[in-house]
Coordinates of all heavy atoms in Angstrom, one line a residue:
Chain A
Q1099 N -69.2 -44.7 -32.3 CA -68.2 -45.6 -32.9 C -67.2 -45.9 -31.8 O -66.7 -44.9 -31.1 CB -67.5 -44.9 -34.1 CG -68.4 -44.8 -35.3 CD -67.6 -44.4 -36.5 OE1 -67.9 -43.3 -37.0 NE2 -66.7 -45.2 -37.0
T1100 N -66.8 -47.1 -31.7 CA -65.7 -47.5 -30.8 C -64.7 -48.4 -31.4 O -65.1 -49.2 -32.3 CB -66.3 -48.2 -29.5 OG1 -67.0 -49.3 -29.9 CG2 -67.1 -47.2 -28.7
P1101 N -63.4 -48.3 -31.1 CA -62.8 -47.3 -30.2 C -62.7 -46.0 -31.0 O -62.9 -46.0 -32.2 CB -61.5 -47.9 -29.8 CG -61.1 -48.7 -31.0 CD -62.4 -49.3 -31.5
R1102 N -62.3 -44.9 -30.4 CA -62.0 -43.7 -31.1 C -60.6 -43.7 -31.8 O -60.4 -43.2 -32.9 CB -62.0 -42.5 -30.2 CG -63.4 -42.1 -29.7 CD -64.3 -41.5 -30.8 NE -63.6 -40.5 -31.6 CZ -63.5 -39.2 -31.3 NH1 -64.0 -38.8 -30.1 NH2 -62.9 -38.3 -32.1
Y1103 N -59.7 -44.4 -31.2 CA -58.3 -44.4 -31.7 C -57.8 -45.9 -31.5 O -58.1 -46.5 -30.5 CB -57.4 -43.5 -30.9 CG -57.8 -42.0 -31.0 CD1 -58.6 -41.5 -30.0 CD2 -57.5 -41.2 -32.1 CE1 -59.0 -40.2 -30.0 CE2 -57.9 -39.9 -32.1 CZ -58.7 -39.4 -31.1 OH -59.1 -38.1 -31.2
L1104 N -57.0 -46.2 -32.5 CA -56.4 -47.6 -32.5 C -55.0 -47.5 -33.2 O -54.9 -46.8 -34.2 CB -57.2 -48.6 -33.4 CG -58.3 -49.4 -32.7 CD1 -59.0 -50.2 -33.8 CD2 -57.6 -50.3 -31.7
I1105 N -54.0 -48.2 -32.6 CA -52.7 -48.4 -33.3 C -52.5 -49.8 -33.4 O -52.6 -50.6 -32.4 CB -51.6 -47.7 -32.4 CG1 -51.9 -46.2 -32.3 CG2 -50.3 -47.9 -33.1 CD1 -50.9 -45.5 -31.4
K1106 N -52.2 -50.2 -34.6 CA -52.0 -51.7 -34.9 C -50.7 -51.8 -35.7 O -50.3 -50.9 -36.4 CB -53.2 -52.2 -35.7 CG -54.5 -52.4 -34.9 CD -54.4 -53.5 -34.0 CE -55.7 -53.8 -33.3 NZ -55.6 -55.0 -32.4
T1107 N -50.2 -53.0 -35.7 CA -49.0 -53.3 -36.5 C -49.4 -54.0 -37.8 O -50.4 -54.7 -37.9 CB -48.1 -54.3 -35.7 OG1 -47.9 -53.7 -34.4 CG2 -46.8 -54.6 -36.4
R1108 N -48.6 -53.8 -38.8 CA -48.8 -54.4 -40.1 C -49.0 -55.9 -40.0 O -48.3 -56.6 -39.2 CB -47.6 -54.2 -41.0 CG -47.7 -53.0 -41.9 CD -46.5 -52.9 -42.9 NE -45.3 -52.9 -42.1 CZ -44.1 -53.0 -42.7 NH1 -44.0 -53.0 -44.0 NH2 -43.0 -53.0 -42.0
G1109 N -50.0 -56.4 -40.7 CA -50.2 -57.9 -40.6 C -51.3 -58.3 -39.6 O -51.9 -59.3 -39.7
Q1110 N -51.6 -57.4 -38.7 CA -52.6 -57.7 -37.7 C -54.0 -57.5 -38.3 O -54.1 -57.0 -39.4 CB -52.5 -56.8 -36.5 CG -51.3 -57.2 -35.6 CD -51.3 -56.3 -34.3 OE1 -51.4 -55.1 -34.3 NE2 -51.1 -57.0 -33.1
Q1111 N -55.0 -57.8 -37.5 CA -56.4 -57.5 -38.0 C -57.0 -56.6 -36.9 O -56.6 -56.5 -35.8 CB -57.2 -58.8 -38.2 CG -57.6 -59.5 -36.9 CD -58.8 -60.5 -37.2 OE1 -59.0 -60.9 -38.3 NE2 -59.5 -60.9 -36.1
V1112 N -58.1 -55.9 -37.3 CA -58.8 -55.0 -36.5 C -60.3 -55.1 -36.7 O -60.8 -55.4 -37.8 CB -58.3 -53.6 -36.7 CG1 -58.7 -53.1 -38.1 CG2 -58.7 -52.6 -35.6
T1113 N -61.0 -54.9 -35.6 CA -62.5 -54.8 -35.7 C -63.0 -53.5 -35.1 O -62.6 -53.1 -34.0 CB -63.1 -56.0 -34.9 OG1 -62.7 -57.2 -35.5 CG2 -64.6 -55.9 -35.0
L1114 N -63.8 -52.8 -35.9 CA -64.3 -51.5 -35.5 C -65.8 -51.7 -35.3 O -66.5 -52.4 -36.0 CB -64.1 -50.4 -36.5 CG -62.7 -50.3 -37.1 CD1 -62.6 -49.2 -38.1 CD2 -61.7 -50.1 -36.0
S1115 N -66.4 -50.9 -34.3 CA -67.8 -51.1 -34.0 C -68.6 -49.8 -34.2 O -68.1 -48.7 -34.0 CB -67.9 -51.5 -32.5 OG -69.3 -51.7 -32.2
C1116 N -69.8 -50.0 -34.6 CA -70.7 -48.8 -34.8 C -72.1 -49.1 -34.3 O -72.7 -50.1 -34.7 CB -70.8 -48.5 -36.3 SG -72.0 -47.3 -36.8
S1117 N -72.6 -48.2 -33.4 CA -74.0 -48.3 -33.0 C -74.8 -47.2 -33.6 O -74.5 -46.0 -33.4 CB -74.1 -48.3 -31.5 OG -73.5 -49.4 -30.9
P1118 N -75.8 -47.5 -34.4 CA -76.5 -46.5 -35.2 C -77.5 -45.8 -34.2 O -77.8 -46.2 -33.1 CB -77.3 -47.2 -36.2 CG -77.5 -48.6 -35.7 CD -76.3 -48.9 -34.8
I1119 N -78.1 -44.7 -34.8 CA -79.2 -44.0 -34.1 C -80.4 -45.0 -33.9 O -80.7 -45.7 -34.9 CB -79.6 -42.7 -34.9 CG1 -78.4 -41.7 -34.8 CG2 -80.9 -42.1 -34.4 CD1 -78.6 -40.5 -35.7
S1120 N -81.0 -44.9 -32.8 CA -82.1 -45.8 -32.6 C -83.2 -45.6 -33.7 O -83.6 -44.5 -34.0 CB -82.8 -45.4 -31.2 OG -83.9 -46.2 -30.9
G1121 N -83.6 -46.7 -34.2 CA -84.6 -46.7 -35.3 C -84.0 -46.7 -36.7 O -84.7 -46.9 -37.7
H1122 N -82.7 -46.4 -36.8 CA -82.0 -46.5 -38.1 C -81.5 -47.9 -38.3 O -80.8 -48.4 -37.5 CB -80.8 -45.5 -38.1 CG -81.2 -44.1 -38.2 ND1 -80.3 -43.1 -38.4 CD2 -82.4 -43.5 -38.1 CE1 -80.9 -41.9 -38.5 NE2 -82.2 -42.1 -38.3
R1123 N -81.9 -48.4 -39.5 CA -81.5 -49.8 -39.8 C -80.5 -49.9 -40.9 O -80.0 -51.0 -41.2 CB -82.8 -50.6 -40.1 CG -83.8 -50.8 -39.0 CD -85.1 -51.3 -39.4 NE -84.9 -52.6 -40.0 CZ -85.9 -53.2 -40.7 NH1 -87.0 -52.6 -41.0 NH2 -85.7 -54.4 -41.2
S1124 N -80.2 -48.8 -41.5 CA -79.2 -48.8 -42.6 C -77.9 -48.2 -42.0 O -77.9 -47.1 -41.4 CB -79.7 -47.9 -43.7 OG -78.6 -47.8 -44.7
V1125 N -76.8 -48.9 -42.2 CA -75.5 -48.5 -41.7 C -74.5 -48.6 -42.8 O -74.4 -49.6 -43.5 CB -75.0 -49.4 -40.5 CG1 -73.6 -49.0 -40.1 CG2 -75.9 -49.3 -39.3
S1126 N -73.8 -47.5 -43.0 CA -72.8 -47.5 -44.1 C -71.4 -47.2 -43.5 O -71.3 -46.5 -42.4 CB -73.1 -46.4 -45.1 OG -74.3 -46.7 -45.8
W1127 N -70.4 -47.6 -44.1 CA -69.0 -47.3 -43.7 C -68.2 -46.6 -44.7 O -68.4 -46.9 -45.9 CB -68.3 -48.6 -43.3 CG -68.8 -49.3 -42.1 CD1 -69.8 -50.2 -42.0 CD2 -68.2 -49.2 -40.8 NE1 -69.9 -50.6 -40.7 CE2 -69.0 -50.0 -39.9 CE3 -67.2 -48.4 -40.2 CZ2 -68.8 -50.2 -38.6 CZ3 -66.9 -48.6 -38.8 CH2 -67.7 -49.4 -38.0
Y1128 N -67.4 -45.6 -44.3 CA -66.6 -44.9 -45.2 C -65.1 -44.8 -44.7 O -64.9 -44.8 -43.5 CB -67.1 -43.4 -45.4 CG -68.4 -43.4 -46.1 CD1 -69.6 -43.6 -45.3 CD2 -68.5 -43.1 -47.4 CE1 -70.9 -43.5 -46.0 CE2 -69.8 -43.0 -48.1 CZ -70.9 -43.2 -47.3 OH -72.1 -43.2 -47.9
Q1129 N -64.2 -44.7 -45.6 CA -62.8 -44.5 -45.2 C -62.4 -43.1 -45.7 O -62.7 -42.7 -46.8 CB -61.9 -45.5 -46.0 CG -60.4 -45.4 -45.6 CD -59.5 -46.1 -46.6 OE1 -59.5 -45.8 -47.8 NE2 -58.8 -47.2 -46.1
Q1130 N -61.8 -42.4 -44.8 CA -61.3 -41.0 -45.1 C -59.8 -41.0 -44.9 O -59.2 -41.2 -43.9 CB -62.0 -40.0 -44.2 CG -61.6 -38.6 -44.6 CD -62.3 -37.5 -43.7 OE1 -62.8 -37.8 -42.6 NE2 -62.4 -36.3 -44.3
T1131 N -59.1 -40.6 -46.0 CA -57.7 -40.4 -46.0 C -57.4 -39.1 -46.7 O -58.1 -38.6 -47.6 CB -56.9 -41.5 -46.8 OG1 -57.4 -41.6 -48.1 CG2 -57.2 -42.9 -46.1
P1132 N -56.2 -38.5 -46.4 CA -55.8 -37.2 -47.0 C -55.7 -37.4 -48.5 O -56.1 -36.5 -49.3 CB -54.5 -36.9 -46.4 CG -54.5 -37.6 -45.1 CD -55.3 -38.8 -45.3
G1133 N -55.2 -38.5 -49.0 CA -55.0 -38.7 -50.4 C -56.2 -39.1 -51.2 O -56.4 -38.5 -52.3
Q1134 N -57.0 -39.9 -50.7 CA -58.2 -40.4 -51.4 C -59.5 -39.8 -51.0 O -60.5 -40.0 -51.7 CB -58.3 -42.0 -51.3 CG -57.1 -42.7 -51.8 CD -56.9 -42.5 -53.3 OE1 -57.8 -42.6 -54.0 NE2 -55.7 -42.3 -53.7
G1135 N -59.5 -39.0 -50.0 CA -60.7 -38.4 -49.5 C -61.7 -39.4 -48.9 O -61.2 -40.4 -48.3
L1136 N -63.0 -39.2 -49.0 CA -64.0 -40.0 -48.4 C -64.4 -41.1 -49.5 O -64.9 -40.7 -50.5 CB -65.2 -39.2 -48.0 CG -65.1 -38.5 -46.7 CD1 -66.0 -37.2 -46.7 CD2 -65.5 -39.4 -45.6
Q1137 N -64.3 -42.3 -49.1 CA -64.6 -43.4 -50.0 C -65.6 -44.4 -49.3 O -65.3 -44.8 -48.2 CB -63.4 -44.1 -50.5 CG -62.5 -43.3 -51.4 CD -61.4 -44.1 -52.0 OE1 -60.4 -44.5 -51.3 NE2 -61.5 -44.4 -53.3
F1138 N -66.6 -44.8 -50.1 CA -67.6 -45.7 -49.6 C -67.0 -47.1 -49.5 O -66.4 -47.6 -50.4 CB -68.8 -45.7 -50.5 CG -69.8 -46.8 -50.3 CD1 -70.7 -46.7 -49.2 CD2 -69.9 -47.8 -51.1 CE1 -71.6 -47.7 -49.0 CE2 -70.9 -48.8 -51.0 CZ -71.7 -48.7 -49.9
L1139 N -67.2 -47.8 -48.3 CA -66.8 -49.1 -48.1 C -67.9 -50.1 -48.4 O -67.8 -51.0 -49.3 CB -66.2 -49.3 -46.7 CG -64.8 -48.8 -46.5 CD1 -64.6 -48.5 -45.0 CD2 -63.8 -49.9 -47.0
F1140 N -68.9 -50.1 -47.6 CA -70.1 -50.9 -47.7 C -71.3 -50.4 -46.9 O -71.2 -49.5 -46.1 CB -69.8 -52.4 -47.4 CG -68.8 -52.6 -46.4 CD1 -68.9 -52.2 -45.1 CD2 -67.6 -53.3 -46.7 CE1 -67.9 -52.4 -44.1 CE2 -66.6 -53.6 -45.8 CZ -66.7 -53.1 -44.5
E1141 N -72.5 -51.0 -47.3 CA -73.7 -50.6 -46.6 C -74.4 -51.9 -46.2 O -74.5 -52.9 -46.9 CB -74.6 -49.8 -47.5 CG -75.9 -49.4 -46.9 CD -77.2 -49.5 -47.7 OE1 -77.0 -49.7 -49.0 OE2 -78.3 -49.4 -47.2
Y1142 N -75.0 -51.8 -45.0 CA -75.8 -52.9 -44.5 C -77.2 -52.5 -44.1 O -77.4 -51.4 -43.6 CB -75.1 -53.5 -43.2 CG -73.9 -54.3 -43.5 CD1 -72.6 -53.7 -43.7 CD2 -74.0 -55.7 -43.8 CE1 -71.5 -54.5 -44.0 CE2 -72.9 -56.4 -44.1 CZ -71.6 -55.8 -44.2 OH -70.5 -56.5 -44.6
F1143 N -78.1 -53.4 -44.4 CA -79.5 -53.1 -44.0 C -80.1 -54.5 -43.7 O -79.9 -55.4 -44.5 CB -80.3 -52.4 -45.1 CG -81.7 -52.2 -44.8 CD1 -82.1 -51.2 -44.0 CD2 -82.7 -53.0 -45.3 CE1 -83.4 -50.9 -43.7 CE2 -84.0 -52.8 -45.0 CZ -84.4 -51.8 -44.2
S1144 N -80.8 -54.6 -42.6 CA -81.4 -55.8 -42.2 C -80.4 -57.0 -42.2 O -80.7 -58.1 -42.8 CB -82.6 -56.2 -43.0 OG -83.7 -55.3 -42.8
E1145 N -79.2 -56.7 -41.7 CA -78.2 -57.8 -41.5 C -77.6 -58.3 -42.8 O -76.9 -59.3 -42.8 CB -78.7 -58.9 -40.7 CG -79.2 -58.5 -39.3 CD -79.9 -59.7 -38.5 OE1 -79.1 -60.7 -38.2 OE2 -81.1 -59.6 -38.3
T1146 N -77.9 -57.6 -43.9 CA -77.4 -58.0 -45.2 C -76.6 -56.9 -45.9 O -77.0 -55.7 -45.8 CB -78.6 -58.4 -46.2 OG1 -79.4 -59.4 -45.6 CG2 -78.1 -58.8 -47.5
Q1147 N -75.5 -57.2 -46.5 CA -74.7 -56.3 -47.2 C -75.5 -55.9 -48.5 O -75.7 -56.8 -49.3 CB -73.3 -56.8 -47.5 CG -72.4 -55.7 -48.1 CD -71.0 -56.3 -48.4 OE1 -70.8 -56.7 -49.5 NE2 -70.2 -56.2 -47.4
R1148 N -75.8 -54.6 -48.7 CA -76.6 -54.2 -49.8 C -75.7 -53.7 -50.9 O -76.0 -53.8 -52.1 CB -77.6 -53.1 -49.4 CG -78.5 -53.6 -48.3 CD -79.5 -54.7 -48.8 NE -80.2 -55.2 -47.7 CZ -81.4 -55.8 -47.8 NH1 -81.9 -56.0 -49.0 NH2 -82.0 -56.3 -46.8
N1149 N -74.6 -53.0 -50.6 CA -73.7 -52.4 -51.6 C -72.3 -52.5 -51.1 O -72.1 -52.5 -49.9 CB -74.1 -51.0 -51.9 CG -75.4 -50.8 -52.6 OD1 -75.5 -51.2 -53.7 ND2 -76.4 -50.2 -51.9
K1150 N -71.4 -52.5 -52.0 CA -70.0 -52.6 -51.6 C -69.2 -51.7 -52.5 O -69.4 -51.6 -53.7 CB -69.4 -54.0 -51.7 CG -68.1 -54.3 -51.1 CD -67.7 -55.8 -51.2 CE -66.5 -56.1 -50.4 NZ -65.3 -55.3 -50.6
G1151 N -68.2 -51.0 -51.9 CA -67.3 -50.1 -52.6 C -66.1 -50.9 -53.2 O -66.1 -52.1 -53.1
N1152 N -65.2 -50.2 -53.8 CA -64.1 -50.8 -54.5 C -62.9 -51.0 -53.5 O -61.9 -50.3 -53.6 CB -63.7 -49.9 -55.7 CG -62.7 -50.6 -56.6 OD1 -62.6 -51.9 -56.6 ND2 -61.9 -49.9 -57.3
F1153 N -63.1 -51.9 -52.6 CA -62.0 -52.2 -51.6 C -61.7 -53.7 -51.7 O -62.6 -54.5 -52.0 CB -62.5 -51.8 -50.2 CG -62.3 -50.4 -49.9 CD1 -63.2 -49.5 -50.3 CD2 -61.2 -49.9 -49.2 CE1 -63.1 -48.1 -50.1 CE2 -61.0 -48.6 -49.0 CZ -62.0 -47.7 -49.4
P1154 N -60.5 -54.1 -51.3 CA -60.1 -55.5 -51.4 C -60.9 -56.3 -50.3 O -61.5 -55.8 -49.4 CB -58.6 -55.5 -51.1 CG -58.3 -54.2 -50.4 CD -59.3 -53.2 -51.0
G1155 N -60.9 -57.6 -50.5 CA -61.6 -58.5 -49.7 C -61.1 -58.5 -48.2 O -61.8 -59.1 -47.4
R1156 N -60.0 -57.9 -48.0 CA -59.5 -57.8 -46.6 C -60.5 -57.0 -45.7 O -60.5 -57.0 -44.5 CB -58.1 -57.1 -46.5 CG -57.1 -57.9 -47.3 CD -55.7 -57.2 -47.1 NE -55.6 -55.8 -47.6 CZ -55.6 -54.7 -46.8 NH1 -55.7 -54.8 -45.5 NH2 -55.5 -53.5 -47.4
F1157 N -61.3 -56.2 -46.4 CA -62.3 -55.3 -45.7 C -63.6 -56.1 -45.7 O -64.1 -56.4 -46.8 CB -62.4 -54.0 -46.4 CG -61.2 -53.1 -46.3 CD1 -60.1 -53.3 -47.1 CD2 -61.1 -52.1 -45.3 CE1 -59.0 -52.5 -47.0 CE2 -60.0 -51.3 -45.2 CZ -59.0 -51.5 -46.1
S1158 N -64.1 -56.3 -44.5 CA -65.4 -57.0 -44.5 C -66.2 -56.4 -43.3 O -65.7 -55.6 -42.5 CB -65.2 -58.5 -44.2 OG -64.6 -58.7 -43.0
G1159 N -67.5 -56.7 -43.3 CA -68.3 -56.2 -42.3 C -69.5 -57.1 -42.0 O -69.7 -58.1 -42.6
R1160 N -70.2 -56.7 -41.0 CA -71.5 -57.4 -40.7 C -72.4 -56.5 -39.9 O -72.0 -55.5 -39.3 CB -71.2 -58.7 -39.9 CG -70.5 -58.6 -38.6 CD -70.3 -59.9 -38.0 NE -69.6 -59.9 -36.7 CZ -69.5 -60.9 -35.9 NH1 -70.1 -62.0 -36.1 NH2 -68.7 -60.7 -34.8
Q1161 N -73.7 -56.9 -39.9 CA -74.6 -56.2 -39.1 C -75.4 -57.2 -38.3 O -75.8 -58.2 -38.7 CB -75.6 -55.4 -40.0 CG -76.5 -54.5 -39.2 CD -77.4 -53.7 -40.1 OE1 -77.9 -54.1 -41.2 NE2 -77.8 -52.5 -39.7
F1162 N -75.7 -56.8 -37.0 CA -76.5 -57.6 -36.1 C -77.9 -57.3 -36.1 O -78.4 -56.3 -36.7 CB -75.8 -57.5 -34.7 CG -74.4 -57.8 -34.7 CD1 -73.4 -56.8 -34.8 CD2 -74.0 -59.1 -34.6 CE1 -72.1 -57.1 -34.8 CE2 -72.6 -59.4 -34.5 CZ -71.7 -58.4 -34.6
S1163 N -78.7 -58.1 -35.4 CA -80.2 -57.9 -35.5 C -80.6 -56.6 -34.8 O -81.7 -56.1 -35.1 CB -80.9 -59.1 -34.8 OG -80.4 -59.3 -33.5
N1164 N -79.7 -56.1 -33.9 CA -80.1 -54.8 -33.3 C -79.6 -53.6 -34.1 O -79.5 -52.5 -33.6 CB -79.5 -54.7 -31.9 CG -78.0 -54.8 -31.8 OD1 -77.4 -55.0 -32.9 ND2 -77.4 -54.7 -30.7
S1165 N -79.1 -53.9 -35.4 CA -78.6 -52.9 -36.3 C -77.2 -52.4 -36.1 O -76.6 -51.7 -36.9 CB -79.5 -51.7 -36.4 OG -80.8 -52.0 -36.9
R1166 N -76.6 -52.8 -34.9 CA -75.2 -52.5 -34.7 C -74.4 -53.2 -35.8 O -74.7 -54.2 -36.3 CB -74.8 -53.0 -33.3 CG -73.4 -52.5 -32.9 CD -73.1 -52.9 -31.5 NE -72.8 -54.4 -31.4 CZ -71.7 -54.9 -31.6 NH1 -70.6 -54.2 -32.0 NH2 -71.5 -56.3 -31.5
S1167 N -73.3 -52.5 -36.1 CA -72.5 -53.0 -37.2 C -71.0 -53.1 -36.8 O -70.5 -52.3 -36.0 CB -72.6 -52.2 -38.5 OG -71.8 -52.6 -39.5
E1168 N -70.3 -54.0 -37.4 CA -68.8 -54.1 -37.2 C -68.2 -54.1 -38.6 O -68.7 -54.7 -39.5 CB -68.4 -55.3 -36.4 CG -68.8 -55.3 -34.9 CD -68.4 -56.5 -34.2 OE1 -68.0 -57.5 -34.8 OE2 -68.4 -56.5 -32.9
M1169 N -67.0 -53.6 -38.7 CA -66.2 -53.8 -39.8 C -64.8 -54.4 -39.4 O -64.3 -54.0 -38.3 CB -66.0 -52.6 -40.7 CG -65.2 -51.4 -40.1 SD -64.7 -50.3 -41.4 CE -63.3 -51.2 -42.2
N1170 N -64.3 -55.2 -40.2 CA -63.1 -55.9 -39.9 C -62.1 -55.7 -41.1 O -62.5 -55.7 -42.3 CB -63.4 -57.4 -39.8 CG -62.1 -58.2 -39.4 OD1 -61.3 -58.5 -40.2 ND2 -62.0 -58.4 -38.1
V1171 N -60.8 -55.4 -40.7 CA -59.8 -55.3 -41.7 C -58.7 -56.4 -41.3 O -58.2 -56.3 -40.2 CB -59.2 -53.9 -41.8 CG1 -58.2 -53.9 -43.0 CG2 -60.2 -52.9 -41.9
S1172 N -58.4 -57.3 -42.2 CA -57.4 -58.3 -41.9 C -56.1 -57.9 -42.6 O -56.1 -57.1 -43.6 CB -57.9 -59.7 -42.4 OG -58.1 -59.7 -43.8
T1173 N -55.1 -58.5 -42.2 CA -53.7 -58.4 -42.7 C -53.5 -56.9 -43.0 O -53.3 -56.4 -44.2 CB -53.6 -59.2 -44.0 OG1 -54.2 -60.5 -43.9 CG2 -52.1 -59.4 -44.4
L1174 N -53.5 -56.1 -42.0 CA -53.4 -54.7 -42.1 C -52.1 -54.2 -42.9 O -51.0 -54.8 -42.7 CB -53.4 -54.0 -40.7 CG -54.7 -53.9 -40.1 CD1 -54.5 -53.6 -38.6 CD2 -55.6 -52.9 -40.7
E1175 N -52.3 -53.2 -43.7 CA -51.2 -52.6 -44.4 C -51.1 -51.1 -44.0 O -52.0 -50.5 -43.4 CB -51.5 -52.6 -45.9 CG -51.7 -54.0 -46.5 CD -52.0 -54.1 -48.0 OE1 -52.2 -53.0 -48.6 OE2 -52.2 -55.2 -48.5
L1176 N -49.9 -50.5 -44.2 CA -49.7 -49.2 -43.8 C -50.7 -48.2 -44.4 O -51.2 -47.3 -43.8 CB -48.3 -48.7 -44.2 CG -47.1 -49.4 -43.5 CD1 -45.8 -48.9 -44.0 CD2 -47.2 -49.3 -42.0
G1177 N -51.1 -48.5 -45.7 CA -52.1 -47.7 -46.4 C -53.5 -47.8 -45.8 O -54.4 -47.0 -46.2
D1178 N -53.7 -48.7 -44.9 CA -55.1 -48.7 -44.2 C -55.2 -47.7 -43.2 O -56.3 -47.5 -42.6 CB -55.3 -50.1 -43.7 CG -55.3 -51.2 -44.7 OD1 -55.6 -50.9 -45.9 OD2 -54.9 -52.4 -44.4
S1179 N -54.2 -47.0 -42.8 CA -54.2 -45.9 -41.8 C -55.2 -44.9 -42.3 O -55.0 -44.3 -43.4 CB -52.9 -45.3 -41.6 OG -52.0 -46.2 -41.0
A1180 N -56.2 -44.6 -41.6 CA -57.3 -43.7 -42.0 C -58.3 -43.4 -40.9 O -58.2 -44.0 -39.8 CB -58.1 -44.3 -43.2
L1181 N -59.2 -42.5 -41.2 CA -60.3 -42.3 -40.3 C -61.5 -43.1 -40.9 O -61.8 -42.9 -42.0 CB -60.7 -40.8 -40.2 CG -61.9 -40.4 -39.3 CD1 -61.6 -40.7 -37.8 CD2 -62.3 -39.0 -39.5

Side-chain angles (χ1 to χ4, degrees):
Chain A
Q1099 290 189 246
T1100 56
R1102 288 291 312 277
Y1103 302 93
L1104 266 177
I1105 300 176
K1106 289 286 188 179
T1107 305
R1108 267 184 307 176
Q1110 288 186 311
Q1111 75 164 16
V1112 66
T1113 299
L1114 312 182
S1115 179
C1116 171
S1117 293
I1119 291 171
S1120 178
H1122 286 189
R1123 295 169 60 197
S1124 176
V1125 175
S1126 298
W1127 289 87
Y1128 293 83
Q1129 182 196 62
Q1130 185 177 21
T1131 59
Q1134 299 298 316
L1136 279 154
Q1137 293 187 287
F1138 170 74
L1139 279 156
F1140 26 64
E1141 182 220 346
Y1142 285 87
F1143 179 77
S1144 291
E1145 303 175 63
T1146 301
Q1147 188 180 92
R1148 302 292 174 159
N1149 291 294
K1150 191 175 193 304
N1152 190 24
F1153 278 82
R1156 300 185 296 107
F1157 292 81
S1158 63
R1160 59 178 175 168
Q1161 186 180 33
F1162 303 95
S1163 58
N1164 62 356
S1165 296
R1166 190 177 71 84
S1167 178
E1168 290 181 346
M1169 68 164 281
N1170 184 278
V1171 188
S1172 62
T1173 321
L1174 283 165
E1175 301 177 359
L1176 295 178
D1178 297 334
S1179 295
L1181 180 66

